[in-house]
Amino acid sequence: MLRRTFLPSVLGLLLMSAPMFGENKEPIQVLIITGDHGHQWKETTPFIKDLLSQAGMKVDVTETPAKDLTSANLDKYDMCCSSITKTP
């Protein structure tokens, strides 16, 4: 199920952000929020980061959301990408 929805979700994210590319010459700042949350994040996160980087975005990754998701830190980013799954 995850594999069938993963790629369309990432492609949808890229398509939604496409209009922003023409408005500003600065790269879009993206924060990927991930970590040990019951899925294969060590495999999917580098894929997402590479895909977004190839689209011209500047991508950072946090594996410690409880520490890094502060107002001051989030102000640096134009968008966040969640790579977390709900665990039982």
Side-chain angles (χ1 to χ4, degrees):
M1 174 73 172
L2 176 64
R3 290 180 183 172
R4 287 186 290 190
T5 60
F6 177 72
L7 188 56
S9 297
V10 172
L11 292 175
L13 177 67
L14 288 173
L15 290 174
M16 288 187 314
S17 64
M20 297 188 316
F21 291 121
E23 297 175 9
N24 193 348
K25 298 294 181 188
E26 297 292 320
I28 296 170
Q29 305 286 323
V30 180
L31 176 64
I32 298 175
I33 304 163
T34 193
D36 191 13
H37 298 286
H39 71 291
Q40 297 174 336
W41 63 276
K42 289 184 180 183
E43 295 173 14
T44 59
T45 301
F47 174 79
I48 297 170
K49 182 176 181 178
D50 185 52
L51 187 65
L52 296 175
S53 296
Q54 287 180 21
M57 301 180 189
K58 182 183 178 309
V59 183
D60 293 327
V61 175
T62 179
E63 296 175 7
T64 54
K67 179 182 126 191
D68 295 332
L69 298 183
T70 64
S71 293
N73 193 33
L74 290 175
D75 283 343
K76 303 175 198 173
Y77 299 97
D78 299 310
M79 66 182 241
C80 295
C81 178
S82 175
S83 180
I84 296 175
T85 187
K86 183 178 178 182
T87 57

Coordinates of all heavy atoms in Angstrom, one line a residue:
M1 N 0.8 -1.2 0.0 CA 0.0 0.0 0.0 C 0.9 1.3 0.0 O 0.6 2.2 -0.7 CB -0.9 0.0 1.2 CG -1.7 1.2 1.4 SD -3.0 1.2 0.2 CE -3.9 2.6 0.7
L2 N 1.9 1.3 0.8 CA 2.8 2.4 1.0 C 3.4 2.7 -0.4 O 3.5 3.9 -0.8 CB 3.8 2.2 2.1 CG 4.8 3.3 2.2 CD1 4.2 4.6 2.6 CD2 5.9 3.0 3.2
R3 N 3.9 1.7 -1.1 CA 4.6 1.9 -2.3 C 3.7 2.4 -3.4 O 4.1 3.2 -4.2 CB 5.2 0.6 -2.8 CG 6.4 0.1 -1.9 CD 7.0 -1.1 -2.3 NE 8.0 -1.5 -1.4 CZ 8.7 -2.7 -1.4 NH1 8.3 -3.6 -2.4 NH2 9.6 -2.9 -0.5
R4 N 2.4 2.1 -3.4 CA 1.5 2.6 -4.4 C 1.2 4.0 -4.2 O 0.8 4.7 -5.1 CB 0.2 1.7 -4.4 CG 0.4 0.4 -5.0 CD -0.8 -0.3 -5.1 NE -1.3 -0.6 -3.7 CZ -2.3 -1.4 -3.4 NH1 -3.0 -1.9 -4.4 NH2 -2.6 -1.7 -2.2
T5 N 1.2 4.5 -3.0 CA 0.9 5.9 -2.7 C 2.1 6.8 -2.5 O 1.9 8.0 -2.6 CB 0.0 6.0 -1.4 OG1 0.8 5.5 -0.3 CG2 -1.3 5.2 -1.6
F6 N 3.2 6.3 -2.3 CA 4.4 7.1 -2.1 C 4.8 8.0 -3.2 O 4.9 9.2 -3.1 CB 5.6 6.2 -1.6 CG 6.9 6.9 -1.4 CD1 7.0 7.7 -0.3 CD2 7.9 6.8 -2.4 CE1 8.2 8.4 -0.1 CE2 9.1 7.5 -2.2 CZ 9.2 8.3 -1.1
L7 N 5.1 7.3 -4.4 CA 5.5 8.1 -5.6 C 4.5 9.1 -6.0 O 4.8 10.3 -6.3 CB 5.9 7.2 -6.7 CG 6.6 7.8 -7.9 CD1 7.8 8.6 -7.5 CD2 7.0 6.8 -8.9
P8 N 3.2 8.7 -6.1 CA 2.2 9.8 -6.5 C 2.1 10.9 -5.5 O 1.9 12.1 -5.9 CB 0.9 9.0 -6.5 CG 1.3 7.6 -6.8 CD 2.6 7.4 -6.1
S9 N 2.3 10.7 -4.2 CA 2.3 11.7 -3.3 C 3.5 12.7 -3.5 O 3.4 13.9 -3.4 CB 2.4 11.2 -1.8 OG 1.3 10.4 -1.6
V10 N 4.7 12.2 -3.7 CA 5.9 13.0 -3.9 C 5.7 13.8 -5.2 O 6.0 15.0 -5.3 CB 7.2 12.1 -4.0 CG1 8.4 13.0 -4.4 CG2 7.4 11.6 -2.6
L11 N 5.2 13.1 -6.3 CA 5.0 13.8 -7.6 C 4.0 14.9 -7.4 O 4.1 16.0 -8.0 CB 4.6 12.8 -8.6 CG 5.7 11.9 -9.1 CD1 5.1 10.9 -10.1 CD2 6.9 12.6 -9.6
G12 N 2.9 14.7 -6.7 CA 1.9 15.7 -6.4 C 2.5 16.9 -5.7 O 2.2 18.0 -6.0
L13 N 3.4 16.6 -4.7 CA 4.1 17.7 -4.0 C 4.9 18.5 -4.9 O 4.9 19.8 -4.8 CB 4.9 17.1 -2.9 CG 5.8 18.0 -2.1 CD1 4.9 18.9 -1.2 CD2 6.8 17.2 -1.2
L14 N 5.6 17.9 -5.8 CA 6.4 18.7 -6.8 C 5.5 19.5 -7.7 O 5.9 20.6 -8.0 CB 7.3 17.7 -7.6 CG 8.5 17.1 -6.8 CD1 9.1 16.1 -7.7 CD2 9.4 18.1 -6.4
L15 N 4.4 18.9 -8.2 CA 3.6 19.7 -9.1 C 2.9 20.9 -8.4 O 2.8 21.9 -9.0 CB 2.5 18.7 -9.6 CG 3.0 17.7 -10.6 CD1 1.8 16.8 -11.0 CD2 3.5 18.4 -11.9
M16 N 2.5 20.7 -7.1 CA 1.9 21.8 -6.4 C 2.9 22.9 -6.1 O 2.6 24.1 -6.1 CB 1.4 21.3 -5.0 CG 0.2 20.5 -5.2 SD -0.7 20.0 -3.6 CE 0.7 19.5 -2.6
S17 N 4.2 22.6 -6.0 CA 5.2 23.6 -5.8 C 5.8 24.2 -7.0 O 6.5 25.2 -7.0 CB 6.3 23.1 -4.9 OG 7.0 22.0 -5.6
A18 N 5.4 23.7 -8.2 CA 6.0 24.2 -9.5 C 5.7 25.7 -9.7 O 6.6 26.4 -10.2 CB 5.4 23.4 -10.6
P19 N 4.5 26.2 -9.4 CA 4.4 27.7 -9.6 C 5.3 28.5 -8.8 O 5.6 29.6 -9.2 CB 2.9 27.9 -9.2 CG 2.3 26.6 -9.3 CD 3.3 25.6 -9.0
M20 N 5.8 28.0 -7.7 CA 6.8 28.8 -6.9 C 8.1 29.0 -7.6 O 8.9 29.9 -7.3 CB 6.9 28.2 -5.5 CG 5.6 28.2 -4.8 SD 5.7 27.6 -3.0 CE 6.7 26.2 -3.0
F21 N 8.5 28.1 -8.5 CA 9.8 28.2 -9.1 C 10.0 29.4 -9.9 O 11.0 30.0 -10.0 CB 10.0 27.0 -10.0 CG 10.2 25.7 -9.3 CD1 9.4 24.6 -9.5 CD2 11.2 25.5 -8.3 CE1 9.5 23.4 -8.8 CE2 11.4 24.4 -7.6 CZ 10.5 23.3 -7.9
G22 N 8.9 29.9 -10.6 CA 9.1 31.1 -11.5 C 9.0 32.4 -10.7 O 9.5 33.4 -11.2
E23 N 8.5 32.4 -9.5 CA 8.4 33.7 -8.7 C 9.7 34.1 -8.1 O 9.8 35.3 -7.8 CB 7.3 33.5 -7.7 CG 5.9 33.2 -8.3 CD 4.9 32.9 -7.2 OE1 5.2 33.1 -6.0 OE2 3.8 32.5 -7.6
N24 N 10.5 33.2 -7.7 CA 11.7 33.5 -6.9 C 12.9 32.8 -7.4 O 12.8 31.6 -7.7 CB 11.4 33.2 -5.4 CG 12.3 33.8 -4.5 OD1 13.4 34.3 -4.9 ND2 12.0 33.7 -3.2
K25 N 14.0 33.5 -7.4 CA 15.3 32.8 -7.9 C 15.9 32.0 -6.7 O 16.8 31.2 -7.0 CB 16.3 33.8 -8.4 CG 15.7 34.6 -9.6 CD 15.6 33.7 -10.8 CE 15.1 34.5 -12.0 NZ 14.7 33.7 -13.1
E26 N 15.5 32.3 -5.5 CA 16.1 31.5 -4.4 C 15.5 30.1 -4.4 O 14.3 29.9 -4.6 CB 15.7 32.2 -3.1 CG 16.4 33.6 -2.9 CD 17.9 33.6 -2.8 OE1 18.4 32.7 -2.1 OE2 18.5 34.4 -3.4
P27 N 16.3 29.1 -4.0 CA 15.7 27.8 -3.9 C 14.7 27.6 -2.8 O 14.9 28.3 -1.8 CB 16.9 26.9 -3.7 CG 18.0 27.8 -3.1 CD 17.7 29.1 -3.7
I28 N 13.7 26.8 -3.0 CA 12.8 26.5 -1.9 C 13.5 25.8 -0.8 O 14.1 24.8 -1.1 CB 11.6 25.8 -2.5 CG1 10.9 26.6 -3.6 CG2 10.6 25.3 -1.4 CD1 9.8 25.8 -4.4
Q29 N 13.3 26.2 0.4 CA 13.9 25.6 1.6 C 12.9 24.5 2.1 O 11.8 24.9 2.5 CB 14.2 26.6 2.7 CG 15.0 27.8 2.2 CD 16.5 27.4 2.0 OE1 17.0 26.6 2.8 NE2 17.1 27.9 1.0
V30 N 13.3 23.3 2.1 CA 12.5 22.2 2.5 C 13.1 21.4 3.7 O 14.3 21.2 3.8 CB 12.3 21.1 1.4 CG1 11.4 20.0 1.8 CG2 11.7 21.8 0.1
L31 N 12.2 21.1 4.7 CA 12.7 20.3 5.8 C 11.9 19.0 5.8 O 10.7 19.0 5.8 CB 12.4 21.0 7.2 CG 12.7 20.2 8.4 CD1 14.2 19.9 8.5 CD2 12.2 20.9 9.7
I32 N 12.6 17.9 5.7 CA 12.0 16.6 5.7 C 12.1 16.1 7.2 O 13.1 16.1 7.8 CB 12.8 15.5 4.8 CG1 12.7 16.0 3.4 CG2 12.2 14.2 5.0 CD1 13.5 15.1 2.4
I33 N 10.9 15.8 7.7 CA 10.8 15.3 9.1 C 10.7 13.8 9.1 O 9.7 13.3 8.5 CB 9.5 15.9 9.8 CG1 9.6 17.5 9.7 CG2 9.4 15.5 11.2 CD1 8.3 18.1 9.9
T34 N 11.6 13.1 9.7 CA 11.6 11.7 9.7 C 12.3 11.1 10.9 O 12.5 11.9 11.9 CB 12.4 11.2 8.4 OG1 12.2 9.8 8.3 CG2 13.9 11.5 8.5
G35 N 12.5 9.9 11.0 CA 13.1 9.2 12.1 C 12.5 7.8 12.3 O 11.8 7.4 11.4
D36 N 12.8 7.2 13.4 CA 12.4 5.8 13.6 C 11.0 5.8 14.0 O 10.7 5.8 15.2 CB 13.3 5.2 14.7 CG 13.1 3.7 14.8 OD1 12.5 3.2 13.9 OD2 13.6 3.1 15.8
H37 N 10.1 5.7 13.0 CA 8.7 5.8 13.3 C 8.0 4.6 12.7 O 6.9 4.7 12.1 CB 8.1 7.1 12.8 CG 8.6 8.3 13.5 ND1 8.3 8.7 14.7 CD2 9.5 9.2 13.0 CE1 9.0 9.7 15.1 NE2 9.7 10.1 14.1
G38 N 8.6 3.4 12.7 CA 7.9 2.2 12.2 C 7.8 2.0 10.7 O 6.9 1.3 10.3
H39 N 8.7 2.7 10.0 CA 8.7 2.4 8.5 C 10.1 2.5 8.0 O 11.0 2.7 8.8 CB 7.8 3.4 7.8 CG 8.3 4.8 7.7 ND1 8.4 5.6 8.8 CD2 8.8 5.5 6.7 CE1 8.9 6.8 8.4 NE2 9.2 6.7 7.1
Q40 N 10.3 2.2 6.8 CA 11.7 2.2 6.2 C 12.2 3.6 5.8 O 12.6 3.8 4.7 CB 11.7 1.2 5.0 CG 11.3 -0.2 5.3 CD 11.2 -1.0 4.1 OE1 10.9 -0.5 3.0 NE2 11.3 -2.3 4.3
W41 N 12.3 4.4 6.8 CA 12.7 5.8 6.6 C 14.1 6.0 6.1 O 14.4 6.9 5.4 CB 12.4 6.6 7.8 CG 13.2 6.2 9.0 CD1 12.9 5.2 9.9 CD2 14.5 6.8 9.5 NE1 13.9 5.2 10.9 CE2 14.9 6.1 10.6 CE3 15.3 7.8 9.0 CZ2 16.0 6.4 11.3 CZ3 16.4 8.1 9.7 CH2 16.8 7.4 10.8
K42 N 15.0 5.0 6.5 CA 16.4 5.1 6.0 C 16.5 4.9 4.5 O 17.5 5.3 3.9 CB 17.3 4.2 6.8 CG 17.5 4.6 8.2 CD 18.4 3.7 9.0 CE 18.6 4.1 10.4 NZ 19.6 3.3 11.1
E43 N 15.5 4.2 4.0 CA 15.5 4.0 2.5 C 14.7 5.1 1.8 O 15.1 5.6 0.7 CB 14.8 2.7 2.2 CG 15.7 1.5 2.7 CD 14.9 0.2 2.6 OE1 13.9 0.1 1.8 OE2 15.4 -0.8 3.2
T44 N 13.6 5.5 2.3 CA 12.7 6.5 1.6 C 13.2 7.9 1.8 O 13.1 8.7 0.8 CB 11.3 6.4 2.2 OG1 11.2 6.7 3.6 CG2 10.7 5.1 1.9
T45 N 13.8 8.3 2.9 CA 14.2 9.7 3.1 C 15.3 10.1 2.1 O 15.1 11.2 1.5 CB 14.6 9.9 4.5 OG1 13.5 9.6 5.4 CG2 15.1 11.4 4.8
P46 N 16.3 9.3 1.8 CA 17.3 9.8 0.8 C 16.7 9.9 -0.6 O 17.1 10.8 -1.3 CB 18.4 8.7 0.9 CG 18.3 8.1 2.2 CD 16.8 8.1 2.6
F47 N 15.7 9.0 -0.9 CA 15.0 9.1 -2.2 C 14.3 10.5 -2.3 O 14.4 11.2 -3.3 CB 14.1 7.9 -2.3 CG 13.3 8.0 -3.6 CD1 13.8 7.7 -4.8 CD2 11.9 8.5 -3.5 CE1 13.0 7.8 -6.0 CE2 11.2 8.6 -4.7 CZ 11.7 8.2 -5.9
I48 N 13.5 10.8 -1.2 CA 12.8 12.0 -1.2 C 13.7 13.2 -1.3 O 13.5 14.2 -2.1 CB 11.9 12.2 0.0 CG1 10.8 11.1 0.0 CG2 11.2 13.5 0.1 CD1 10.1 10.9 1.3
K49 N 14.8 13.2 -0.5 CA 15.7 14.3 -0.5 C 16.4 14.5 -1.9 O 16.5 15.6 -2.4 CB 16.8 14.1 0.5 CG 17.8 15.2 0.6 CD 18.8 15.0 1.7 CE 19.8 16.2 1.7 NZ 20.8 16.1 2.8
D50 N 16.8 13.4 -2.5 CA 17.4 13.5 -3.9 C 16.4 14.0 -4.9 O 16.7 14.8 -5.7 CB 17.9 12.1 -4.3 CG 18.6 12.1 -5.6 OD1 19.6 12.9 -5.7 OD2 18.3 11.3 -6.5
L51 N 15.2 13.5 -4.8 CA 14.1 14.0 -5.8 C 13.9 15.5 -5.7 O 13.8 16.2 -6.7 CB 12.8 13.2 -5.5 CG 11.7 13.4 -6.5 CD1 12.1 12.9 -7.9 CD2 10.5 12.7 -6.0
L52 N 13.7 16.0 -4.4 CA 13.5 17.4 -4.2 C 14.7 18.2 -4.6 O 14.6 19.3 -5.1 CB 13.1 17.6 -2.8 CG 11.7 17.0 -2.4 CD1 11.4 17.2 -0.9 CD2 10.6 17.5 -3.2
S53 N 15.9 17.7 -4.3 CA 17.1 18.4 -4.6 C 17.3 18.6 -6.1 O 17.7 19.6 -6.7 CB 18.4 17.7 -4.0 OG 18.3 17.7 -2.6
Q54 N 17.0 17.5 -6.9 CA 17.1 17.5 -8.3 C 16.1 18.5 -8.9 O 16.3 19.1 -10.0 CB 16.8 16.1 -8.9 CG 18.0 15.2 -8.7 CD 17.7 13.8 -9.3 OE1 16.9 13.7 -10.2 NE2 18.5 12.8 -8.8
A55 N 15.0 18.8 -8.2 CA 14.0 19.8 -8.6 C 14.4 21.2 -8.3 O 13.7 22.1 -8.5 CB 12.6 19.5 -8.0
G56 N 15.6 21.4 -7.7 CA 16.2 22.7 -7.4 C 15.9 23.2 -6.0 O 16.1 24.4 -5.7
M57 N 15.4 22.3 -5.1 CA 15.1 22.8 -3.8 C 16.3 22.5 -2.9 O 17.2 21.6 -3.1 CB 13.9 22.0 -3.2 CG 12.7 22.2 -4.0 SD 11.3 21.3 -3.4 CE 10.1 21.5 -4.6
K58 N 16.5 23.3 -1.8 CA 17.5 23.1 -0.8 C 16.8 22.3 0.3 O 15.8 22.7 0.9 CB 18.0 24.4 -0.2 CG 19.2 24.1 0.8 CD 19.7 25.4 1.4 CE 20.7 25.1 2.4 NZ 20.4 24.1 3.4
V59 N 17.3 21.1 0.6 CA 16.6 20.1 1.5 C 17.5 19.8 2.7 O 18.7 19.5 2.6 CB 16.3 18.8 0.7 CG1 15.5 17.9 1.6 CG2 15.5 19.1 -0.6
D60 N 16.9 19.9 3.9 CA 17.5 19.5 5.1 C 16.6 18.4 5.7 O 15.4 18.3 5.4 CB 17.6 20.6 6.1 CG 18.5 21.7 5.7 OD1 19.6 21.4 5.0 OD2 18.3 22.9 6.0
V61 N 17.2 17.5 6.5 CA 16.5 16.4 7.1 C 16.6 16.5 8.6 O 17.7 16.7 9.1 CB 17.0 15.1 6.6 CG1 16.3 13.9 7.3 CG2 16.8 15.0 5.1
T62 N 15.6 16.3 9.4 CA 15.7 16.1 10.8 C 15.2 14.7 11.2 O 14.2 14.3 10.7 CB 14.9 17.2 11.6 OG1 15.0 16.9 13.0 CG2 13.4 17.2 11.3
E63 N 16.0 14.1 12.0 CA 15.6 12.8 12.5 C 15.2 12.9 14.0 O 14.9 11.9 14.6 CB 16.8 11.8 12.4 CG 17.2 11.5 10.9 CD 18.4 10.7 10.8 OE1 19.0 10.2 11.8 OE2 18.9 10.5 9.6
T64 N 15.3 14.1 14.5 CA 14.9 14.4 15.9 C 13.8 15.5 15.9 O 14.1 16.6 16.3 CB 16.1 14.8 16.7 OG1 16.8 15.9 16.1 CG2 17.1 13.6 16.9
P65 N 12.6 15.2 15.5 CA 11.6 16.2 15.4 C 11.3 16.9 16.7 O 11.0 18.1 16.8 CB 10.4 15.5 14.9 CG 10.7 14.1 14.6 CD 12.1 13.9 15.0
A66 N 11.3 16.2 17.8 CA 11.0 16.7 19.1 C 12.0 17.9 19.5 O 11.6 18.8 20.1 CB 11.0 15.7 20.2
K67 N 13.2 17.8 19.0 CA 14.2 18.8 19.3 C 14.2 19.9 18.3 O 14.4 21.0 18.6 CB 15.6 18.1 19.3 CG 16.7 19.0 19.6 CD 18.1 18.3 19.6 CE 19.0 19.0 18.6 NZ 20.2 18.3 18.2
D68 N 14.0 19.5 17.0 CA 14.2 20.5 15.9 C 13.0 21.3 15.5 O 13.1 22.2 14.8 CB 14.8 19.8 14.7 CG 16.2 19.2 15.0 OD1 16.9 19.8 15.8 OD2 16.6 18.2 14.4
L69 N 11.8 20.8 15.8 CA 10.6 21.5 15.4 C 10.2 22.7 16.3 O 9.2 22.6 17.0 CB 9.5 20.5 15.2 CG 9.7 19.4 14.1 CD1 8.5 18.6 14.0 CD2 10.1 20.0 12.8
T70 N 11.1 23.7 16.3 CA 10.8 24.9 17.1 C 10.4 26.0 16.1 O 10.7 25.9 14.9 CB 12.0 25.3 17.8 OG1 13.1 25.7 16.9 CG2 12.5 24.2 18.8
S71 N 9.7 27.0 16.6 CA 9.3 28.1 15.8 C 10.5 28.8 15.1 O 10.4 29.1 13.9 CB 8.5 29.2 16.6 OG 7.3 28.6 17.0
A72 N 11.6 29.0 15.8 CA 12.7 29.6 15.3 C 13.3 28.8 14.1 O 13.8 29.3 13.1 CB 13.8 29.9 16.4
N73 N 13.4 27.5 14.3 CA 14.0 26.6 13.2 C 13.0 26.5 12.0 O 13.5 26.6 10.9 CB 14.3 25.2 13.8 CG 15.1 24.4 12.9 OD1 16.0 25.0 12.2 ND2 14.9 23.1 12.9
L74 N 11.7 26.4 12.3 CA 10.8 26.2 11.2 C 10.7 27.5 10.3 O 10.3 27.4 9.2 CB 9.4 25.8 11.7 CG 9.3 24.4 12.3 CD1 8.0 24.2 12.9 CD2 9.6 23.4 11.2
D75 N 11.0 28.7 10.9 CA 10.9 29.9 10.1 C 11.9 29.9 9.0 O 11.7 30.7 8.0 CB 11.2 31.1 11.0 CG 10.0 31.5 11.9 OD1 8.9 31.0 11.6 OD2 10.2 32.2 12.9
K76 N 12.9 29.1 9.0 CA 13.9 29.0 7.9 C 13.4 28.3 6.7 O 14.0 28.4 5.6 CB 15.1 28.2 8.4 CG 15.8 28.7 9.6 CD 16.9 27.8 10.0 CE 17.4 28.0 11.4 NZ 18.3 26.9 11.9
Y77 N 12.3 27.6 6.8 CA 11.8 26.7 5.7 C 10.5 27.3 5.0 O 9.7 27.8 5.7 CB 11.6 25.3 6.2 CG 12.9 24.7 6.7 CD1 13.2 24.7 8.1 CD2 13.8 24.2 5.9 CE1 14.4 24.2 8.6 CE2 15.0 23.7 6.3 CZ 15.3 23.7 7.7 OH 16.5 23.2 8.1
D78 N 10.4 27.0 3.7 CA 9.2 27.3 3.0 C 8.2 26.2 3.1 O 7.0 26.5 3.0 CB 9.6 27.5 1.5 CG 10.6 28.7 1.3 OD1 10.3 29.8 1.9 OD2 11.6 28.5 0.6
M79 N 8.7 25.0 3.3 CA 7.7 23.9 3.4 C 8.4 22.7 4.2 O 9.6 22.7 4.3 CB 7.2 23.4 2.1 CG 8.2 22.8 1.2 SD 7.5 22.3 -0.4 CE 7.8 20.5 -0.4
C80 N 7.5 21.9 4.8 CA 8.0 20.7 5.5 C 7.4 19.5 4.8 O 6.3 19.5 4.3 CB 7.5 20.7 6.9 SG 8.3 22.0 7.9
C81 N 8.1 18.4 4.8 CA 7.7 17.2 4.2 C 7.8 16.1 5.2 O 8.9 15.8 5.7 CB 8.6 16.8 3.0 SG 8.2 15.3 2.2
S82 N 6.7 15.5 5.6 CA 6.6 14.5 6.6 C 6.9 13.1 6.1 O 6.2 12.7 5.1 CB 5.3 14.5 7.3 OG 5.2 13.5 8.3
S83 N 7.9 12.5 6.6 CA 8.2 11.1 6.3 C 8.1 10.2 7.5 O 9.0 9.6 7.9 CB 9.6 11.0 5.7 OG 9.9 9.7 5.3
I84 N 6.9 10.4 8.2 CA 6.6 9.7 9.4 C 5.3 8.9 9.2 O 4.4 9.3 8.6 CB 6.4 10.7 10.6 CG1 7.7 11.4 10.8 CG2 6.0 10.0 11.8 CD1 7.6 12.5 11.8
T85 N 5.3 7.7 9.8 CA 4.1 6.9 9.7 C 3.6 6.7 11.1 O 4.3 6.7 12.1 CB 4.3 5.6 9.0 OG1 3.1 4.9 8.8 CG2 5.2 4.7 9.8
K86 N 2.3 6.6 11.2 CA 1.7 6.3 12.6 C 2.0 4.9 13.0 O 1.9 3.9 12.3 CB 0.2 6.5 12.5 CG -0.5 6.3 13.8 CD -2.0 6.5 13.6 CE -2.7 6.3 14.9 NZ -4.2 6.5 14.8
T87 N 2.4 4.8 14.3 CA 2.7 3.5 14.8 C 1.6 3.1 15.9 O 1.0 4.0 16.5 CB 4.1 3.5 15.5 OG1 4.1 4.5 16.5 CG2 5.2 3.7 14.5
P88 N 1.4 1.8 16.1 CA 0.4 1.4 17.0 C 0.7 1.8 18.4 O 1.8 2.0 18.8 CB 0.3 -0.1 16.8 CG 1.4 -0.5 16.0 CD 2.0 0.7 15.4

